[in-house]
Amino acid sequence: MEGACLCGAIGVVAADHAEIGLCHCSMCRRWSGGPLFAVHCDDKVQFTGATPKAYRSSDWAERGFCGECGTHLYYRLVPDGEYFLPAGLFQNNAFTLASQIFIDEKPPYYTLANDTPMLTGKQVFEQFAGNP
């Protein structure tokens, strides 16, 4: 898949994906202005053109953006390099919403009709730790 930031200064190339996940955590909502609709990619994402700026938002992750237009480009797990790319970068892709995480942090002012698996923050961290 190929996408780009709003001004076109940075292109994004990633393997094709059909599904996206949604994060309701307070940090993603602050960063994106709402829940983050993201494509879970591996560590082989390529950026072309300008170099993305990065902000280390936690001990385990950084968030990338275009230094020219401010478009959000990625959330990346530092330990293994996995990328989560905002679905809006890929304007020509028809995605299916497959999951929602940090459902316990979702504010009451919106509700989605999609029937997806929903994990709390605790359940997400348990998965990362390898606990059932």
Side-chain angles (χ1 to χ4, degrees):
M1 344 184 260
E2 293 185 28
C5 67
L6 189 59
C7 71
I10 300 177
V12 183
V13 180
D16 286 338
H17 291 278
E19 296 182 339
I20 60 172
L22 181 68
C23 184
H24 297 282
C25 83
S26 61
M27 201 175 300
C28 279
R29 287 185 293 109
R30 180 172 290 174
W31 184 52
S32 68
L36 178 62
F37 291 82
V39 182
H40 183 181
C41 297
D42 55 22
D43 61 349
K44 306 208 177 11
V45 173
Q46 296 176 5
F47 298 97
T48 60
T51 302
K53 303 277 185 187
Y55 171 69
R56 185 74 178 255
S57 58
S58 66
D59 290 341
W60 61 86
E62 70 177 11
R63 295 166 190 268
F65 58 96
C66 175
E68 185 67 28
C69 67
T71 297
H72 302 147
L73 298 171
Y74 64 83
Y75 170 88
R76 187 177 74 86
L77 295 173
V78 173
D80 61 11
E82 285 182 87
Y83 284 91
F84 296 80
L85 306 176
L89 294 173
F90 307 101
Q91 294 290 302
N92 297 322
N93 290 64
F95 296 114
T96 300
L97 182 60
S99 64
Q100 299 179 56
I101 61 173
F102 288 90
I103 194 68
D104 53 322
E105 293 188 29
K106 185 190 84 55
Y109 56 80
Y110 66 85
T111 301
L112 300 176
N114 304 72
D115 183 18
T116 65
M118 297 185 197
L119 300 176
T120 65
K122 181 178 184 241
Q123 290 168 319
V124 171
F125 286 116
E126 285 173 349
Q127 278 188 347
F128 280 123
N131 299 331

